[in-house]
Amino acid sequence: MNQKIRQLGINPNHWYVVARSRDVNTQPLDVILWNQAIVLFRNKQGKIQALENRCPHRQVKLSHGKIIEGNLECAYHGWQFNAQGECVNIPYLAEHQRLPNCKILQYPVEELDGFIWLFPGKNPTQNQPLGVPEWDHLNYIATVSLIHCQAHYSFLIENLMDMYHGHLHQDWQAWTDAILKKINEDNHRVDAHYQAKSYYKIDKIWSISQLFFPALRQLHPEPLEVSYIYPHWVSTLGKDFKIYCLFCPVSLTETKAYLIHFTSLHSFWRLHKLPIPFRRFLKNKLFGSAQKLLDGLVEQDVKMIEEEQQTYLNQPQQKSYEFNPTLASVQRLIQHQEFLE
């Protein structure tokens, strides 16, 4: 294992997820993406905006302020900035004084599939946000869990790509007995193909109850696919489950990410014939049905990841022994993408 990976930054020329859509309403929101302080807010039309989170007057956070007619007002002296980061009003400006030319940095930002995607690099058109097409699809039930760990993002990616650590999750996991079959790797993604046994089979309407009652689960073989599509992660377990992990690396020793678990309803063909409003009601009603499962997995993983980080900080030269070749592929991809920056 290459421990120097823990000192690498991110490639800024990708779209990262900095918040959920519901987190930004009438008040500005403070977020951090790789040491960059950013403020999110909505303009008069409700469209999401992103600016450098500092007032150029006294360098305090603009996120302390509020939205006035679609402009962001600083809480300290009331200076106002438009969506382009230009100062458009100073309440105590004298008649002979002009507004200062103190434009702050504006970030490309998009609201897509329930999340806010931000591009910290220089050419946002060279990549598109990964997207989560299942988010609004009526045949998928979603659950979201926030991962917030005091560790370099590489530790979390390696955890997600390594399906041999199911031993940790015996009380929460949806699968067991993973066997690595194949790895596909290029400069943009790593795909690891495992064969596993799933505890869940969502083929009848009552089978949703397996999420709540462990005694109803029965092991059966399913393919388990995990992919690091830089900088995010996607996994599928058979035809019933799909999981995304959308990354927001904060710093060398802090990572935020959003884990989104989808349960498929494709097998319920009778359900598909019901009126659209009812199906949408059912989808919304079942939102978060796997919350206990997902939160339990996250809690266990975060504990291990943070211990890995702390050991690295205390003993950076400590040698690690690794038998899953997927992790070497992941590290090569991270190194390549950091080089592309």
Side-chain angles (χ1 to χ4, degrees):
M1 295 291 290
N2 181 6
Q3 294 295 61
K4 292 181 180 179
I5 203 83
R6 318 307 178 191
Q7 295 297 317
L8 294 186
I10 64 170
N11 183 345
N13 295 311
H14 289 271
W15 291 87
Y16 294 84
V17 169
V18 291
R20 293 177 65 177
S21 292
R22 72 176 194 180
D23 295 336
V24 188
N25 296 305
T26 59
Q27 298 299 313
L29 179 69
D30 173 24
V31 298
I32 300 176
L33 174 59
W34 204 250
N35 303 304
Q36 299 178 60
I38 300 164
V39 57
L40 305 175
F41 65 102
R42 297 188 183 276
N43 63 15
K44 291 174 68 174
Q45 291 74 40
K47 183 175 169 54
I48 201 72
Q49 309 291 330
L51 295 175
E52 183 181 1
N53 193 10
R54 68 171 184 89
C55 178
H57 176 214
R58 296 288 182 88
Q59 313 304 320
V60 300
K61 289 184 177 182
L62 287 170
S63 56
H64 296 318
K66 56 186 177 182
I67 312 303
I68 305 293
E69 295 296 316
N71 295 323
L72 186 54
E73 182 185 78
C74 180
Y76 202 177
H77 291 83
W79 289 31
Q80 292 183 9
F81 299 85
N82 63 17
Q84 290 72 47
E86 301 164 331
C87 182
V88 293
N89 183 46
I90 297 176
Y92 52 85
L93 197 68
E95 289 185 7
H96 66 280
Q97 292 177 314
R98 295 181 179 181
L99 289 171
N101 183 20
C102 56
K103 186 175 181 179
I104 56 177
L105 186 62
Q106 178 190 23
Y107 291 89
V109 65
E110 289 190 19
E111 189 168 10
L112 176 68
D113 299 329
F115 293 87
I116 297 172
W117 305 72
L118 187 140
F119 192 92
K122 297 178 181 179
N123 185 9
T125 59
Q126 72 181 45
N127 283 309
Q128 296 296 319
L130 176 66
V132 186
E134 295 84 359
W135 186 260
D136 290 319
H137 199 295
L138 295 178
N139 285 347
Y140 289 92
I141 305 302
T143 300
V144 180
S145 185
L146 175 65
I147 302 175
H148 192 179
C149 57
Q150 303 304 309
H152 189 266
Y153 68 91
S154 63
F155 285 114
L156 177 54
I157 281 293
E158 290 172 12
N159 168 275
L160 293 167
M161 293 295 290
D162 179 16
M163 295 295 99
Y164 290 151
H165 80 277
H167 181 78
L168 174 68
H169 301 309
Q170 291 184 11
D171 294 332
W172 302 108
Q173 68 184 18
W175 45 265
T176 188
D177 297 339
I179 300 173
L180 181 64
K181 294 295 187 178
K182 184 180 178 182
I183 302 173
N184 297 107
E185 174 185 352
D186 61 28
N187 292 331
H188 304 283
R189 64 186 291 164
V190 174
D191 300 290
H193 309 275
Y194 293 86
Q195 183 64 41
K197 294 180 181 178
S198 174
Y199 285 100
Y200 304 95
K201 194 170 185 63
I202 310 299
D203 57 351
K204 298 179 178 61
I205 192 65
W206 59 263
S207 57
I208 291 289
S209 61
Q210 295 172 67
L211 297 172
F212 309 100
F213 303 104
L216 299 177
R217 304 169 193 168
Q218 293 184 345
L219 280 174
H220 62 281
E222 292 281 14
L224 174 59
E225 313 286 341
V226 291
S227 300
Y228 183 24
I229 308 170
Y230 190 96
H232 306 295
W233 177 86
V234 182
S235 173
T236 59
L237 176 61
K239 297 180 180 180
D240 294 331
F241 302 104
K242 188 164 186 178
I243 308 177
Y244 292 80
C245 192
L246 308 178
F247 274 71
C248 178
V250 177
S251 69
L252 278 175
T253 57
E254 184 178 1
T255 301
K256 285 180 63 177
Y258 295 88
L259 196 63
I260 309 113
H261 177 284
F262 289 103
T263 301
S264 171
L265 301 179
H266 280 294
S267 297
F268 307 145
W269 59 270
R270 289 187 178 86
L271 179 65
H272 305 163
K273 296 182 178 181
L274 296 176
I276 296 297
F278 176 79
R279 292 176 64 191
R280 185 172 292 111
F281 167 80
L282 184 64
K283 176 182 174 73
N284 294 336
K285 194 70 174 177
L286 291 175
F287 182 88
S289 56
Q291 199 70 59
K292 185 176 180 181
L293 167 71
L294 212 58
D295 289 347
L297 290 168
V298 168
E299 182 179 355
Q300 290 177 333
D301 279 336
V302 166
K303 181 178 180 181
M304 296 295 106
I305 290 167
E306 290 184 342
E307 285 192 13
E308 287 185 275
Q309 174 69 62
Q310 196 56 50
T311 299
Y312 169 75
L313 291 176
N314 294 338
Q315 299 173 299
Q317 303 305 319
Q318 185 77 272
K319 184 176 180 179
S320 295
Y321 298 87
E322 182 54 57
F323 293 93
N324 188 343
T326 306
L327 274 61
S329 298
V330 165
Q331 293 198 351
R332 282 193 293 269
L333 176 54
I334 291 173
Q335 287 177 303
H336 179 78
Q337 286 290 333
E338 205 267 348
F339 171 77
L340 289 178
E341 176 188 352

